[in-house]
Each structure stands twice: as structure tokens, then as C-alpha cells.
Amino acid sequence: MHLHVKICKIWQRCPSWLLQPACDARMSMQGSMVDSGGQAGEERAGMRIRNGSDADAAAAAAVVQRVLHEHGLPFEPRGLDADILAPGAHYGASGGAFFVAVDAAERVVGTAGLLRTGPTSGEVRKVFLLPEARGHGLGRALLDAVLDAARTRGLERLTLTTRHRYDRAIRLYERAGFRLA
């Protein structure tokens, strides 16, 4: 049996509502594309963010699988990626949230989840975008949806784990206030 070692960075976001000096104090939702209350969010390039559910599982899994393969990584449906097979149930059961980015035809082109890990802590999970959806602000909009969900739930500490090869995502996380922990 092979042991598959993943080199990851753990990032911690200091929420702006704690106003700690080492944190990025920006947490605005200006220009948000998030559809959080059943109302259409602002669209960019015909794409928007909405709450995801288990009905999105197959499409969300396809997004995750495609992006992982793009980077030469395996899709692990019985391991790290099991959560994407029932995202509404998995993230909802923890008191978290799950979001998808959809194009004008309502095709899922991106994913992001908030896993609640404790009474005041959570983890950003499964932030993935198809190549054709990148460069339109959707990654930031997905992350903003997760941060807004964390703020609404009163979370004070968020972490995320990512691989070194995801340079663009790491820059996004740093701009959002995450720091290497």
C-alpha cells in the first residue's frame, strides 16, 4: 500500500470583526454576486453564486475532479473528496454552508464550502473553479460567500488547507486576510 503524502499550507483568517491588527480589515460584500436570500445577485460574465445543495452533488464533484486532474492530482471519493458527494448534508450537518458558482445556463462552474469545526471555528473547503470560469471574480465571490456565512454564524476563526501548486488561490486567500499559520 502506498502512503500518499500531501504538502499543504494551513491558512488562518483573522476575521475583521475581531479587529486584530494583523488582519485584513476588509470584509465588505460590495459588488457581491451572492444570491443568499432567494434574490438574484449581481452577475459577472453571466455567472453568479448561489446556495448549493445535494442536488448539485454530481456537477460539483465533476468540477472538483476536473480541477484536481488539471493539476495532476487524484479525485478521492472515499477520502478527502467524500464531502462533495453530498455537500448539502455534509456541510449543513456541521452548521456550515455550501455554495456553487453557476453560469447563465445554471451549469455549476465552481464550488466552496464552510465546514463548522467548533462553536466558534470553521474551515473553508472545496474552493474550486473550472478554467473557463476563472478571471471573472468568481473565486473571490465564492470566498466572500463563505466568509459571510462564517460571520453570520458568529465564527471567530477560519482555517483552510491548500497545496503549494495553487498559487492563484493562495494569492486570493492572502488578499482576503488569510495568513500562513
Side-chain angles (χ1 to χ4, degrees), residues 53-133:
S53 71
D54 286 343
D56 298 307
V63 168
V64 171
Q65 185 171 17
R66 182 171 163 198
V67 173
L68 288 171
H69 282 117
E70 172 190 350
H71 292 280
L73 298 167
F75 178 69
E76 300 177 29
R78 292 190 179 109
L80 285 176
D81 301 312
D83 56 339
I84 205 69
L85 300 178
H90 180 82
Y91 293 104
S94 75
F98 181 69
F99 301 95
V100 292
V102 295
D103 64 13
E106 288 294 307
R107 181 178 70 105
V108 174
V109 296
T111 66
L114 170 65
L115 180 67
R116 193 164 194 159
T117 57
T120 60
S121 62
E123 182 180 357
V124 178
R125 301 263 307 143
K126 294 292 184 275
V127 181
F128 287 95
L129 274 176
L130 292 178
E132 60 270 24

Side-chain angles (χ1 to χ4, degrees), residues 4-11 64-65 67-76 79-81 123-128 160-171 173 180:
H4 184 70
V5 177
K6 294 185 177 160
I7 300 171
C8 300
K9 291 183 179 180
I10 297 176
W11 298 81
V64 171
Q65 185 171 17
V67 173
L68 288 171
H69 282 117
E70 172 190 350
H71 292 280
L73 298 167
F75 178 69
E76 300 177 29
L80 285 176
D81 301 312
E123 182 180 357
V124 178
R125 301 263 307 143
K126 294 292 184 275
V127 181
F128 287 95
L160 64 88
T161 303
T162 190
R163 294 176 175 95
H164 295 283
R165 65 182 71 198
Y166 295 139
D167 294 333
R168 287 178 71 177
I170 290 169
R171 287 191 302 273
Y173 301 141
L180 186 60

